[in-house]
Amino acid sequence: MYSDKEIRRACKRAIKNVCFEGITDVEIFNRPFELKFIEHEITQKNIIDDITKSILSKDIKTSGIKLYGNILVPKKSISDFRKCAWIDIYDEIYYLTLVLLMCSKIEEHRINASKNKVLSYRIIKDFRSKELFNTNYNYTFFKKIVKEQENKRGTNIVVECDISNFYDRLNLHRLESMLLSMDNVDKDTINLLNQLLLYWANRDSYGLPVGSNASRILAEAVLIGVDDFLLSKKINFCRFVDDYRIFAKDSTEAYKNLTLLIERLQIEGLFVNSNKTKVRLARSKRGEIKIEEVEKKLENKNTTNMGVINGYSGLVPLKFREMTLTETEKLKQISLKKELSEIKEKVLIEPSELRELFKIVVAKEEWDLLVECSELLIKFPQLIPYFIDIIMKNKNKINEVIMEDLYSSFGKMLSNETPEYIQIFLVKFFAEGREPQKDILLAYFYKLNRNSGDYVGRAILEALSRKLSRSELLSLRSYFTRADIWEKRQILNLLNEGLPKEEKNAYFKNVSITNQDVMIKHMTNKKTAFLN
């Protein structure tokens, strides 16, 4: 078992990193206001003491860890989602502390960074650093290395592939075995980490929480054996997280090496995403080699696991990108009413068609047609965030009557049946439109079902910051005992913002008696609170 000093050191670094980067890099989540609490000397000491004591006990039951929430966030296609974790701050510090205790050994077992093979999340060993990863190794650098490899003599074919549902399908027992195979990594700590991950996975034996730096380090550990295997076979490759590139002199070598990768991944319980696998000419060799030479190889191959496809080239964006002057002038020449009429008649609408229609509205500034456009979103709700971003960026150009109609139109979409990530964007719209629609938000918050989502309740409360009257705050206070832990903290934050000192302090004193959550204890302790 690691010593008290080693655990405290790891915990301090975990706190430093969480304060700096937050608990997740998923943009849909706001940065929790509670993060500032763990910078306070007393609260930080309490967290370090509790976590150190729990780890030394070797029993996850002493940790007070809670199950985390998940929210599906769209990736690049209409059916492609990433399940992102919403982990409590204390729990993320605990998780990261366990992983930091073994991170140096994990890094030592990875292919040396100088070989430019494994280019993701290279660990900074200096525990004084608030960052965990060397920022020189990023996706941009990965693309640079890929380009350099493609330009090298002897590289004619490139294989592009990634691992299907990497974080979700990662086998926890194989992860445990990989860590146990490393010298000088404490077995009790590995067991404690395994207890935690199995608890979070509901004993399903699969999956790491997405968005956590601790998960990133562990995911890299899982692929150490795969990377070493490819290197031992003298396969020219590089990798960024679950994204592999294999470089070959011809298609025979390319398919052979792709097969070896697939077979080795299967040993770890992982699989290549066949829908995203592509075997193509190196960019520098296009025109020198006929693509038919590559395609011929397909005729006699079983492509069940390694199809050559173009891939889904579309994109379901969450944000509207400002158009260039040339693009704007071109779109101004198109009849908006004609386009709108034609799209209305379609049973199936392509996302590119809707995006084009919305761009025409912006280019021509025909805001009076926004409401009609919004009604089309029922056929393709994935573009609601994109549409809302257009409104938010142009809200000062849209008159109040149109905004009221948009509020009415989107109000029908704010329901438990709407995907949570869309609900969150609707909440933002009602909070940050021309006039905050707090009545809509409050009414929706009170009728939320517990299965509405793991974050939407908190998102609504965050959106109501400094917008509520004393009467509304008192009504919200009565909901406190039914709220989840994230909602409880935000309700206390709202009460702190809006209630008179004497009234809020009396209530907070009562809350402190029955709540043991470290963040609530901070908020209700006179020595640490920001309430006075």
Side-chain angles (χ1 to χ4, degrees), residues 272-360:
V272 163
N273 188 334
S274 59
N275 291 327
K276 293 183 180 179
T277 300
K278 183 189 293 186
V279 180
R280 62 170 175 80
L281 291 173
R283 291 183 178 88
S284 61
K285 304 303 187 296
R286 290 176 184 175
E288 298 176 21
I289 300 175
K290 293 181 180 179
I291 192 64
E292 288 82 3
E293 294 176 22
V294 178
E295 292 175 339
K296 263 185 187 179
K297 294 290 182 180
L298 289 175
E299 294 174 6
N300 299 316
K301 283 192 175 287
N302 177 354
T303 57
T304 302
N305 290 323
M306 52 178 110
V308 175
I309 64 164
N310 292 325
Y312 184 87
S313 58
L315 182 66
V316 181
L318 299 178
K319 293 184 178 180
F320 172 73
R321 176 185 57 81
E322 294 295 333
M323 299 177 293
T324 63
L325 184 60
T326 302
E327 187 180 10
T328 301
E329 291 303 317
K330 183 178 179 181
L331 291 170
K332 281 182 179 179
Q333 308 308 312
I334 302 173
S335 169
L336 179 56
K337 290 188 178 180
K338 181 182 176 183
E339 290 289 316
L340 183 57
S341 176
E342 290 177 355
I343 290 177
K344 277 184 175 181
E345 296 300 316
K346 293 189 175 185
V347 176
L348 180 65
I349 302 176
E350 292 294 327
S352 57
E353 294 175 317
L354 269 184
R355 288 176 62 194
E356 184 83 354
L357 180 69
F358 299 158
K359 286 182 176 181
I360 297 170

Side-chain angles (χ1 to χ4, degrees), residues 167-388:
Y167 277 70
D168 289 339
R169 297 309 304 161
L170 194 146
N171 187 290
L172 300 180
H173 298 301
R174 288 188 173 94
L175 168 62
E176 181 185 28
S177 296
M178 170 57 73
L179 296 174
L180 287 170
S181 71
M182 297 178 182
D183 296 332
N184 300 319
V185 178
D186 178 68
K187 290 179 174 54
D188 289 329
T189 305
I190 295 172
N191 179 56
L192 194 58
L193 173 65
N194 195 49
Q195 287 182 50
L196 171 63
L197 294 174
L198 286 172
Y199 167 66
W200 275 344
N202 291 310
R203 297 299 185 207
D204 199 23
S205 301
Y206 289 94
L208 292 176
V210 174
S212 163
N213 277 341
S215 293
R216 294 186 175 97
I217 296 171
L218 295 178
E220 293 294 325
V222 166
L223 293 178
I224 288 173
V226 179
D227 297 334
D228 286 345
F229 172 79
L230 296 180
L231 203 60
S232 72
K233 294 295 182 181
K234 296 184 170 36
I235 295 173
N236 188 7
F237 80 100
C238 65
R239 175 177 69 78
F240 188 87
V241 192
D242 62 344
D243 205 351
Y244 277 93
R245 296 290 182 272
I246 296 174
F247 310 98
K249 65 177 183 292
D250 55 35
S251 56
T252 300
E253 181 184 311
Y255 282 111
K256 172 191 169 187
N257 292 342
L258 176 57
T259 301
L260 287 171
L261 172 61
I262 290 170
E263 290 174 348
R264 186 59 185 80
L265 283 171
Q266 287 178 343
I267 293 173
E268 301 296 340
L270 300 169
F271 301 90
V272 163
N273 188 334
S274 59
N275 291 327
K276 293 183 180 179
T277 300
K278 183 189 293 186
V279 180
R280 62 170 175 80
L281 291 173
R283 291 183 178 88
S284 61
K285 304 303 187 296
R286 290 176 184 175
E288 298 176 21
I289 300 175
K290 293 181 180 179
I291 192 64
E292 288 82 3
E293 294 176 22
V294 178
E295 292 175 339
K296 263 185 187 179
K297 294 290 182 180
L298 289 175
E299 294 174 6
N300 299 316
K301 283 192 175 287
N302 177 354
T303 57
T304 302
N305 290 323
M306 52 178 110
V308 175
I309 64 164
N310 292 325
Y312 184 87
S313 58
L315 182 66
V316 181
L318 299 178
K319 293 184 178 180
F320 172 73
R321 176 185 57 81
E322 294 295 333
M323 299 177 293
T324 63
L325 184 60
T326 302
E327 187 180 10
T328 301
E329 291 303 317
K330 183 178 179 181
L331 291 170
K332 281 182 179 179
Q333 308 308 312
I334 302 173
S335 169
L336 179 56
K337 290 188 178 180
K338 181 182 176 183
E339 290 289 316
L340 183 57
S341 176
E342 290 177 355
I343 290 177
K344 277 184 175 181
E345 296 300 316
K346 293 189 175 185
V347 176
L348 180 65
I349 302 176
E350 292 294 327
S352 57
E353 294 175 317
L354 269 184
R355 288 176 62 194
E356 184 83 354
L357 180 69
F358 299 158
K359 286 182 176 181
I360 297 170
V361 172
V362 177
K364 298 172 79 81
E365 296 194 2
E366 293 189 19
W367 310 116
D368 56 315
L369 293 177
L370 276 174
V371 179
E372 278 190 76
C373 288
S374 72
E375 291 168 357
L376 294 171
L377 290 167
I378 195 169
K379 295 183 179 181
F380 200 88
Q382 292 93 331
L383 277 176
I384 288 175
Y386 180 79
F387 188 81
I388 285 175

Side-chain angles (χ1 to χ4, degrees), residues 76-101:
K76 289 190 176 182
S77 76
I78 61 174
S79 59
D80 196 9
F81 289 86
R82 178 182 290 110
K83 188 171 71 172
C84 299
W86 180 237
I87 303 176
D88 185 76
I89 298 169
Y90 177 90
D91 299 353
E92 173 63 18
I93 294 170
Y94 188 99
Y95 179 32
L96 187 53
T97 299
L98 287 175
V99 175
L100 288 177
L101 285 166

